[in-house]
Amino acid sequence: MPDNQTPAGIESVLQENRVFPPPKAFAQAAHIKSLAQYKKLYQESVKAPDKFWAKQAKAELVWFKPWKKVLQWREPFAQWFVGGQLNVSYNCLDRHLGTPTANQAALIWEGEPAAPGKPGEERTLTYKQLHHEVCRFANVLKRNGVKKGDRVLIYLPMVPEAAMAMLACARIGAVHSVVFGGFSAQSVADRIQDCQARLVVTADGGYRRGAIVPLKQNVDEALTLKGPDGQLLARSIEKVIVVRRAQNEVSMQAGRDVWWHEEMAQVSADCPAEKMDSEAPLFILYTSGSTGKPKGILHTTAGYLLYVRMTSRLVFDLRPEDIYWCTADVGWVTGHSYVVYGPLANGATSLMYEGAPNDPEPDRFWRIIAKYGVTILYTAPTAIRAFMKWGVEWPRKHDLSSLRLLGTVGEPINPEAWMWYHKHIGGKRCPIVDTWWQTETGGIMITPLPGATPTKPGSATLPFFGIVPEVVDDRGRVVPRNSGGKLVVRKPWPSMLRGLWGDPERYKSVYWTEVPHSYFTGDGCRQDKDGYFWIVGRIDDVLNVAGHRIGTAEVESALVSHQQVAEAAVVGRPDDLKGQALVAFVTLKSGVNADGALRDALRQHVAREIGPVAKPDDIRFAEALPKTRSGKIMRRLLKQIAAGTEIKGDTTTLEDLNVLARLAGTEE
Ligand code: PRX
């Protein structure tokens, strides 16, 4: 081990001393008004968690039947609010109907524009209207054979129908699995096969910077793909429901494919919400891990709903008059928890935007904020770094004075980007909540509360109520303050994943064996003298590229599935914009020519196998990969080569030292 590293092999070099206390006026009006109030409540939440969560669950949610037991914990399997019954769609919609919220906007949707200067398409759905549409679509699902417990795959662009489809599933007790529209036919087929979905909801196409992503065509292809056993991967699918969005031509297979709008015309809006058990599965969301196969993260009903409702209200200090905008796609967990379920459970107004931040021009976000009077903006550091690059003249063109709070999520934010966000977007008056969490955690875990927590640029600060994170060494012992280690969570929490769909063993081995009796996050971290958490980034073979989690093993297996590739190793390289970029080292089968055309072909191949999000930024052809004598690829060395840094550390176990010299010079 090189001596500049801590026992867990994690180095944390960042030193940042600036502190920003919550603005006084903000704190006075906030739900949580001071650090002392936060600390008191936090102590209560961890000292007597059952009492704390029971009180919250009673106050926050509408139950059809009360629970008997707050938590049943048989490590690593948790059950929360055992014996209770409720419905997520009821808690997001029906509960608001008899109140003034009924006529308030639930969703404001801004669509893709056709040309610069031309305003985007716009749609607003009040709670009453959204309820109406969700009830109707729930009846459409039933009409097409979907029953309680069935899985429904949702593969849609950022259109209101995506939220409707999710809520309609929740209403009838079907389990949704949303697949991001940037994933390929192969990814769709693999996910359908893993969760044995019965029905797909898709669209003819989705807009992406003026081009059309052929979603229906991808689904058609997914339904023809075969596995190694020669059988169709997606043979569980009986029906495909297609939203008309981009008007591109699609083929409809009689008996299998139906149009959303035609089906909606056939049904009533009367659809009572099913009584669901607290632990009934709500959704499965696939995410990358350190092996090739994506993991189906399972979230259930009561604990998830309670936690996203509370975190939405307290972290974003949500109130009825807010226009709240989380820029994440519903294909990611942030879109589930903080575009749809959390805000709607609070009766808030959630804005959804279909397109890209620089379409048609780099001021699209600022134009939207000014147009709707957005008060809370929640986005990703990678987007902020792109805005910095595009220049302050774009935000300066617009009136951003409606903003009162900013948030970030998805990756560590560098202090420079934090300061830019604070100054140029927040006008130095808006607190910034840097929220750390994961697909697995369901909701925000480490975060400032904007009226209470002094912030430090680059730190996600302190744990939310009931959350017990710690930074530990390889043996699970807490490391001293200011040294790096592994981030773990010591106690179960309501929105934790309940497991991996159909694979309890993998759940145990991925999350619960690395550090005894603790949930292992896969992240490296440091706590400073004030107990603030500073996330360093992933320490497993998962990369964070522009806020998207990509498993290196997945990209490697996609590359190796190409006929001309013999072996591949994928590593991350620091990237100013995306945080990390993907660099692939590839050795070819003998006789194959390494040229630019093949490089392009391999990038396209990865896009086809996984999706454009996973395309390597850089492909380097090599005669051989550096390996240890036992045959393990030495990724640490490849990372250094990819980053162009001098090769440090121990190379004595390297099989063939010449490989290294050749690799460092093979950029072509
Ligand atoms: O490495 C951490 C990083 O994103 C990972 C989780 O990715 P995913 O499951 O796709 O969920 C992203 C949205 C919740 C984490 O393990 N991450 C997320 N938020 C932060 C972060 N790293 C640093 N600071 C954050 N605020």
Side-chain angles (χ1 to χ4, degrees), residues 109-122 207-210 245 325 327 351-372 374 377 387 390 393-395 397-398 400:
W109 175 75
E110 165 90 6
E112 277 268 79
K118 189 170 168 248
E121 213 180 309
E122 192 182 317
Y207 290 114
R208 193 69 191 164
R209 294 196 173 89
R245 170 65 194 132
W325 183 18
T327 67
L351 192 143
M352 261 178 114
Y353 168 49
E354 186 178 22
N358 56 350
D359 183 56
E361 289 181 303
D363 63 345
R364 190 65 193 282
F365 270 29
W366 322 126
R367 196 176 279 281
I368 293 174
I369 288 171
K371 176 174 170 189
Y372 297 102
V374 170
L377 175 68
F387 299 137
W390 297 333
E393 60 270 28
W394 296 103
K397 283 184 192 201
H398 300 277
L400 305 182

Side-chain angles (χ1 to χ4, degrees), residues 287 332-334 378 381 408-413 433-441 443 446 458 460 521-524 534-538 544 547-549:
T287 191
W332 309 112
V333 73
T334 311
Y378 187 34
T408 74
V409 60
E411 54 182 310
I413 182 164
V433 287
D434 172 354
T435 63
W436 176 88
W437 59 294
Q438 311 179 292
T439 307
E440 290 87 343
T441 69
I446 303 181
T521 63
D523 281 348
W534 298 76
I535 312 293
V536 180
R538 303 288 311 189
N544 199 325
H548 300 320
R549 245 168 97 162

